[in-house]
Amino acid sequence: MDAHREASTTMAVSSPTLLLLSLLLCSHLLLASPAAAPLAGELLGAARAPGFAAWLRGVRRRIHQRPELAFREHRTSELVRAELDAIGVPYRWPIARTGVVATIVGGGGGGGGGPVVALRADMDALPVQHYEIGRTWLHGKGANRLELVDWEYKSQENGKMHACGHDAHTTMLLGAAKLLQDRRGDLQGTVKLVFQPAEEGEAGAYYVLQEGVLDDVSAIFGLHVDPVLPVGVVASRPGPFAATASRFLATVTGRGAHAAKPHQAIDPVVASSTAILSLQQIVAREIDPLQGAVVSITFVNGGNAYNVIPEYVTFGGTLRSMTNEGLSYLMKRIKEIVEGQSAVHHCTGSVDFMEDIMKPYPAVINNEWMYAHAKAVAESLLGEENVKVAPKLMGAEDFGFYAQSMAGVFFTIGVGNESSMVTVHSTHSPYFVIDENVLPIGAAFHAAVAIEYLKKHASA
């Protein structure tokens, strides 16, 4: 405001400068719309109403009891469709085999005109067994033991669990659908709700985009639970947020022989060992220390006899970078090092990045305008003190595929509660739990981001 006032009263300032300052001021006012605060409060109040909150908890618990792995979310997809039918929201199915994309067309945008914004939730679970830490007594001394979680709504599927919170993500988006459908007459455009399969390693987002159902979408918003943050707190950052990631399988082939006659062998174990050690130098000596990068070898397989040098060794792991260009460099160097070190030891080496069946995840790069928009909405919903700047994450998320195709922003949302949780466990842990009070917050956050986005772009 001060800069604008000074510009308008100082004759020395040029007309182009006045125009630029005026545009910047209008942009700031647009992001910080005063109408957002009462709207956010109304949405959160509606989502926290006893009947609504109980419905959210019930949906989440039903999903939690029947976890399904990537591209096999048949019951979950059926539940989503049944709830959408009950709400009265039309949808397309199947999308990317088990996915659902619902559409709410606003009445305030001229019967289908206006901007289109998307909200996304993932539906798949993990191959994790549900456990808790119990306590047993042996000869008067306490000892820890592992027990199956004794919770009424625990996973009923052996070896499968919603250990990454996708049950909560799906529930929150269904809650947003209900809030938006109740207000569809006031929407200044169209909202698409993406219930996505196969986020966990199978690149479900890529296949959703291939279907073409989001071709008319200009922006997309997503949430992910975070047990480190308490309920009522959200976090994100502009620009690069989560890493790009890929996997690799290396095979080093030599010639096997009896271990008593190593001179008759071409030893792939030694060649693999030197290659693995050399791979550690990529991040240590070739990557700028201020740039995030990871090359981790997570398994090595060779022979199974004590007195036989094997014919071949396989090893593999993960590679990650905060930029897509950085991942390409890591892939190039891993291939060069494995092939080169194998050749030095008279072996042959090959690397498979399995890109056809395990697509590399692009980095999640938050659009700066969308980040500022969602941040302003979150502040109106939860207060400025509860909207944090998140650190960059070396974890990967296939939301990056959406962010490559349209203006995207991804936030984390707190599900921790130290007063009710003995220990806060991370995602992918068999002990992972959430505070279900997050469900109304996530539903309202989704809905408010969409409503405010449509308002701003309809007026623009």
Side-chain angles (χ1 to χ4, degrees):
M1 292 291 288
D2 290 341
H4 180 70
R5 188 182 301 114
E6 183 180 349
S8 64
T9 56
T10 304
M11 298 300 294
V13 177
S14 65
S15 295
T17 303
L18 279 170
L19 177 61
L20 177 60
L21 289 171
S22 298
L23 289 172
L24 288 172
L25 176 61
C26 290
S27 175
H28 172 74
L29 291 174
L30 197 60
L31 285 171
S33 170
L39 169 68
E42 177 205 334
L43 291 168
L44 186 55
R48 281 176 167 167
F52 199 117
W55 170 71
L56 289 172
R57 289 193 301 272
V59 169
R60 186 255 167 174
R61 291 171 182 181
R62 285 158 58 202
I63 298 172
H64 191 83
Q65 286 180 298
R66 296 295 182 184
E68 298 171 296
L69 303 183
F71 289 125
R72 284 171 262 177
E73 309 92 336
H74 301 291
R75 276 192 302 257
T76 307
S77 178
E78 184 179 2
L79 181 152
V80 166
R81 300 193 311 273
E83 293 296 339
L84 291 171
D85 285 335
I87 297 167
V89 174
Y91 53 82
R92 282 187 58 184
W93 169 83
I95 300 297
R97 292 158 65 175
T98 54
V100 180
V101 175
T103 302
I104 300 176
V105 179
V116 183
V117 65
L119 306 172
R120 174 267 199 172
D122 38 16
M123 302 189 296
D124 55 324
L126 287 162
V128 171
Q129 183 63 57
H130 218 160
Y131 283 103
E132 71 176 358
I133 294 180
R135 204 69 182 158
T136 190
W137 293 92
L138 301 173
H139 307 294
K141 295 183 178 180
N144 286 330
R145 76 181 193 283
L146 295 179
E147 295 180 332
L148 287 172
V149 170
D150 188 18
W151 182 46
E152 183 180 358
Y153 304 103
K154 69 184 179 183
S155 171
Q156 302 298 311
E157 302 293 327
N158 190 45
K160 301 174 188 176
M161 177 188 171
H162 272 292
C164 202
H166 296 188
D167 52 342
H169 300 167
T170 301
T171 301
M172 290 187 285
L173 191 54
L174 282 170
K178 195 175 184 72
L179 293 171
L180 291 166
Q181 181 71 353
D182 288 344
R183 294 157 180 79
R184 66 188 181 280
D186 297 326
L187 295 179
Q188 301 295 306
T190 299
V191 183
K192 293 195 172 184
L193 303 108
V194 182
F195 296 90
Q196 178 207 304
E199 188 278 328
E200 296 290 355
E202 300 290 341
Y206 172 85
Y207 295 101
V208 169
L209 288 167
Q210 292 298 107
E211 298 266 1
V213 290
L214 303 183
D215 286 352
D216 57 346
V217 173
S218 55
I220 190 166
F221 172 75
L223 285 172
H224 199 295
V225 297
D226 185 351
V228 175
L229 296 176
V231 169
V233 174
V234 298
S236 188
R237 65 182 302 115
F241 184 20
T244 177
S246 184
R247 306 162 193 164
F248 74 95
L249 174 66
T251 303
V252 178
T253 304
R255 184 171 66 224
H258 196 286
K261 299 177 180 180
H263 58 288
Q264 295 180 356
I266 298 177
D267 194 340
V269 176
V270 174
S272 297
S273 300
T274 56
I276 289 170
L277 290 173
S278 297
L279 290 173
Q280 306 311 305
Q281 301 304 312
I282 300 175
V283 175
R285 287 296 177 267
E286 298 181 26
I287 304 297
D288 185 336
L290 299 179
Q291 302 298 316
V294 169
V295 176
S296 291
I297 312 303
T298 56
F299 66 88
V300 181
N301 295 315
N304 54 16
Y306 291 102
N307 60 349
V308 177
I309 294 171
E311 181 180 353
Y312 66 91
V313 170
T314 60
F315 61 91
T318 184
L319 52 150
R320 297 163 186 256
S321 172
M322 288 309 298
T323 67
N324 298 323
E325 296 77 17
L327 188 73
S328 296
Y329 179 79
L330 294 178
M331 295 171 79
K332 178 176 78 77
R333 290 296 290 134
I334 288 171
K335 186 174 187 293
E336 290 172 350
I337 288 170
V338 170
E339 292 177 352
Q341 288 292 347
S342 297
V344 166
H345 292 86
H346 305 292
C347 294
T348 58
S350 64
V351 179
D352 184 2
F353 293 102
M354 301 169 283
E355 294 178 79
D356 290 337
I357 58 172
M358 295 181 176
K359 295 189 177 296
Y361 282 14
V364 176
I365 301 176
N366 283 335
N367 175 274
E368 296 203 6
W369 190 95
M370 274 298 289
Y371 166 77
H373 165 68
K375 177 175 178 285
V377 170
E379 289 172 347
S380 69
L381 186 74
L382 303 169
E384 290 185 25
E385 69 280 5
N386 292 316
V387 181
K388 309 295 184 183
V389 177
K392 292 181 180 180
L393 306 173
M394 292 312 295
E397 234 289 349
D398 74 352
F399 189 86
F401 286 108
Y402 299 121
Q404 280 186 326
S405 302
M406 61 198 78
V409 65
F410 197 65
F411 266 68
T412 57
I413 184 167
V415 295
N417 187 337
E418 293 184 357
S419 65
S420 62
M421 298 176 183
V422 177
T423 304
V424 176
H425 294 284
S426 68
T427 54
H428 291 221
S429 163
Y431 317 113
F432 176 70
V433 295
I434 72 166
D435 184 331
E436 291 179 322
N437 288 317
V438 71
L439 300 175
I441 299 172
F445 192 11
H446 268 301
V449 166
I451 292 171
E452 290 297 326
Y453 179 89
L454 296 179
K455 282 183 182 178
K456 292 168 185 177
H457 284 76
S459 60

